[in-house]
């Protein structure tokens, strides 16, 4: 029972930690964008500022996902090159 509770707490911690990391990075981006566009005063400029912060954060996140997917693809490629079926590698068989 304690292990189950610990698992739930660990999962909650991971969610909170991920949200904290997201908010912290968005705050850093907001600060960078603020200094780039300091002096903005109208609501339209404020909305644009918020959109730029969100887009920059999403771009960073997507870049990380792309790097991760490239690594997984490379790992799969290396595995397929080593896996043998008879006298041929799985990669040769596929090609």
């Amino acid at each position: 029972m304690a292990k189950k509770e610990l698992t739930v707490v660990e999962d909650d911690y991971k969610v909170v930690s991920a949200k904290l990391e997201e908010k912290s990075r968005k705050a850093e981006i907001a600060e960078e964008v603020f200094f780039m566009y300091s002096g903005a005063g109208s609501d339209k400029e404020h909305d644009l500022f918020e959109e730029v912060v969100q887009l920059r954060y999403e771009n960073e996140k997507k870049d990380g996902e792309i790097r991760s997917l490239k690594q997984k693809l490379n790992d799969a490629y290396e595995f397929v090159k080593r896996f043998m079926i008879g006298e041929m590698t799985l990669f040769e068989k596929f090609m």
Side-chain angles (χ1 to χ4, degrees), residues 58-72:
E58 289 174 10
N59 279 345
E60 283 186 357
K61 197 171 167 182
K62 296 292 182 199
D63 288 344
E65 290 173 6
I66 288 169
R67 280 190 297 276
S68 174
L69 290 172
K70 282 182 180 178
Q71 182 60 45
K72 288 178 183 178

Side-chain angles (χ1 to χ4, degrees), residues 21-69:
E21 184 178 320
E22 174 186 343
K23 297 297 181 186
S24 295
R25 184 59 192 140
K26 281 186 177 181
E28 290 171 4
I29 292 169
E31 188 175 29
E32 291 170 10
V33 173
F34 175 77
F35 287 118
M36 287 184 346
Y37 297 105
S38 61
S42 73
D43 287 341
K44 187 174 183 180
E45 289 172 334
H46 175 72
D47 292 343
L48 179 61
F49 172 80
E50 292 295 326
E51 187 175 346
V52 168
V53 169
Q54 183 65 29
L55 290 172
R56 286 187 64 179
Y57 174 76
E58 289 174 10
N59 279 345
E60 283 186 357
K61 197 171 167 182
K62 296 292 182 199
D63 288 344
E65 290 173 6
I66 288 169
R67 280 190 297 276
S68 174
L69 290 172

Side-chain angles (χ1 to χ4, degrees), residues 76-84 89-91:
Y77 176 73
E78 290 300 319
F79 173 78
V80 169
K81 284 185 359 187
R82 288 181 286 169
F83 192 74
M84 299 292 288
T89 66
L90 184 59
F91 179 74

